[in-house]
Amino acid sequence: MVETVIELKGVEKTFRDFWMRPLAQAVRGLDLEVRRGDVFGLIGPNGSGKSTTIKMVLGLIRPTRGTVRLFGLDPRAKAARTRLGYLPELSHLHPFLTAEETVLYYAGLSGMKRAAARARTAELLEELKLSHVRRRTVGGFSKGMARRVAIAAALVASPELLILDEPTSGLDPIGTREVKELVGRLAAGGMTVLLTSHQLFDVQDICNRVAVVSAGRQVGGGVVADIVAAARDKRHALEEYFEERLNAQKDEQ
Amino acid sequence: MITAFLITWRSLWRGKTLWILLAAVVAAHFLLPGLVRSDGSAAGRLEMHVRVVCGTVSALMCVASLALACGSFARERDAELLPLVLVRPISAFSVAVGRWLALVVLVGVMLAVNAALVNVVPFSSGLTPPDCKVHHSPSLPPAEVAAAEAMAAFLASERTPEAVKKAPRAAVLALLTAKENERYEVVRPGKSISLPFDVPAGERLAARTRFSTMYNTRMALNGIFRYRDCEGTVSNSTQAILDTPLVPRADILSLTVAPGAGDVLRDLSLTFTNTGRSDVMLRPRRDVELLAPGDSFFANSLRATGEMMALAGLLAAFGFFLSAALSRPVALFTAVVLLSAALMAPDAVSQFPDEFQTTAGEKAGLAISRAVTRFTAALSEISPVSDLASGRAIPMRELIGAIVADMVAWPCIFLGLSAFVLRRKVR
Ligand SMILES: Nc1ncnc2c1ncn2[C@@H]1O[C@H](COP(=O)(O)OP(=O)(O)O)[C@@H](O)[C@H]1O
Ligand SMILES: [Mg+2]
């Protein structure tokens, strides 16, 4: 039996201002299911509600309507939070900490024991090619290096589920390729991944399933292999599919 | 919790806050005393030194802990670092507690340095540290009790107009309590006044009289204080605070074997006999105290440090709450406004006790001031700097009360609220 890791049912989110007047309807009815072992891509244009959806999955914000389950639990349950790693859209870090201290800090917040945290941190910094800068404060890091530190922080507690919001944004082609390879390795190791992106070329390479969202609504989705099989241009299959779905939605309106 | 503690310390350390504060504390000890004038006596110099230096350090610690706490969560929210903490399995409460503890330890380190310096610097020129004095107030029933009795008599009296009897009781009681606290007794020439005290015999006591400067009068005080088998004579027309040492009376000493001497010894009242030519006006609840020898300046400086720490700890916890709820500039602004309100409220309440003569607007203002005073009562009851400077031995009970309230109870409430608000304020 396949285990459902993330489940969204009829989820809506309306942002309101201080006076409770609606500001933006970021998500307007979304059903999603991410199963164990999936590398699930949530794709859509800017402002389509991807980050908002992720924040609801993480329990950072509450949906206005509908239900979100994480490992079958409320996303705010401690038991659910111990099992996930999160990379936010913008990797801000404490500028006064070194790379090593940053990762150790998040290990501590995850309740890891000191010795285990040290070993795991060294291992991750090695894997992410950060060992040589581990004693430098992250304030002076380049965008790509900072992103890798943030990824190490997300992975430090060996989560079962990794949630990546725009993991490749701001990275150069080499950085992008490295992240893709890393996600590939993690997925091969059995990790479930939910990622968002608007760089469809990357998504096509690493995801096995996708959902296309536009203006807070799901307008398409499915198994990537099927989409590629149905496409004329195999290299740009997802791009083709994406444009087709968005146009179809515009026609409906 | 330890993780949150460590990161806050690292930021204080690497952000140089620690060093700047430390430099400020040390500088206060060596630079400030040169800037103030005292009455020239050794005791006066010491009092001014302690008052100015410890007052500055204490204020600095309060402002620093409030400002640092106000910046904490608000800055992380602006930097979008908070979600990274909130998705971890650690509870927001323990994060808040860890950070608060880091600030408390910072303040503790600074105040420890301050305590060390204040025990060394003023005495480096050969002056010996004076012992502190335990202050005893007259053992009168609480003002509220006296006020309630006065009100009962007032209501029972036939002469009281019916309309007045219908006035709101709480307001009348508050009014009578304030009046009772400020009640004057007039001691005419040749007459005496007796005040009950609960101070054990066998100690070298002094009677302290303090004239209120509220009415700008400095009365000549001429008379004799007697307590148990001791007495002291006072004759002074200039000082606002007068300590009259009470020394054993020779005639009483010879009486100790005589019959009836026990009655004298059992009477635990301080009597003051006015031998001057003008009336002496004393507020029994405010103007007279018995001073007994206390322990060393050093011990008192430790207690004062504990109280200063409690104040800073409370403000830090409050700052964390503001920081969790508001953005940094708004939190800082709110903190400043509330702090000034807290400082002004007791004055507002004591200067305008009469609720019957005020308009609706003034009534509302008074009600707010009352609420604020009730809230800050625990704070305004302690004055560690002034106590250390004036040599008042801080009672252990007062210190423990301050620590329990300001370092445990209120922080738990404020940090709990911070944790609650943090989860609700994710963008
Ligand atoms: N905190 C917020 N307050 C008000 N509107 C918001 C907030 N966060 C996001 N939005 C709005 O919700 C919509 C979806 O945003 P987002 O989920 O960030 O999109 P995406 O990540 O797909 O680019 C946008 O129109 C955005 O302006
Ligand atoms: Mg986004």
Side-chain angles (χ1 to χ4, degrees), chain B residues 291-314:
Chain B
L291 308 189
D295 50 8
S296 64
F297 181 83
F298 174 69
N300 208 29
S301 72
L302 292 188
R303 288 189 295 262
T305 299
E307 287 196 349
M308 289 192 245
M309 214 166 138
L311 284 179
L314 173 65

Side-chain angles (χ1 to χ4, degrees), chain B residues 220-224 233-237 272-278 280:
Chain B
L221 186 69
N222 294 292
I224 303 167
T233 308
V234 58
S235 171
N236 193 295
S237 58
F272 170 72
T273 310
N274 185 1
T275 58
R277 258 175 288 159
S278 51
V280 170

Side-chain angles (χ1 to χ4, degrees), chain A residues 50-51 89 165-166:
Chain A
K50 303 184 296 292
S51 297
E89 194 165 0
D165 199 354
E166 311 274 359

Side-chain angles (χ1 to χ4, degrees), chain A residues 55 58 60-61 76 78 81-82 86 88 90 92-94 96-98 101 105-106 108-110 153-154 156, chain B residues 3-4 6-7 10-11 14 76 79-81 83-90 95 99 423-424 426-427:
Chain A
K55 283 178 189 165
L58 292 164
L60 291 172
I61 53 179
R76 292 204 175 184
K78 196 174 164 183
R81 279 190 277 149
T82 49
Y86 168 51
L90 301 162
H92 295 283
L93 300 164
H94 289 283
F96 53 87
L97 292 181
T98 66
E101 286 164 352
Y105 168 59
Y106 288 106
L109 290 182
S110 289
V156 70
Chain B
T3 311
L6 284 179
I7 190 169
R10 280 219 174 95
S11 101
R14 302 232 167 107
E76 292 205 352
E80 299 192 24
L81 281 161
L84 286 170
V85 176
L86 296 175
V87 299
R88 300 276 161 171
I90 192 172
V95 169
R99 287 175 178 214
R423 290 221 151 267
R424 237 138 263 260
V426 178
R427 266 173 275 174

Side-chain angles (χ1 to χ4, degrees), chain B residues 54 107-108 110-116 118-119 298-311 384-385 388 394 399 403:
Chain B
C54 290
V107 169
M110 297 300 147
L111 288 177
V113 170
N114 177 60
V118 84
N119 274 286
F298 174 69
N300 208 29
S301 72
L302 292 188
R303 288 189 295 262
T305 299
E307 287 196 349
M308 289 192 245
M309 214 166 138
L311 284 179
V385 172
L388 184 62
I394 296 169
L399 172 63
I403 286 178

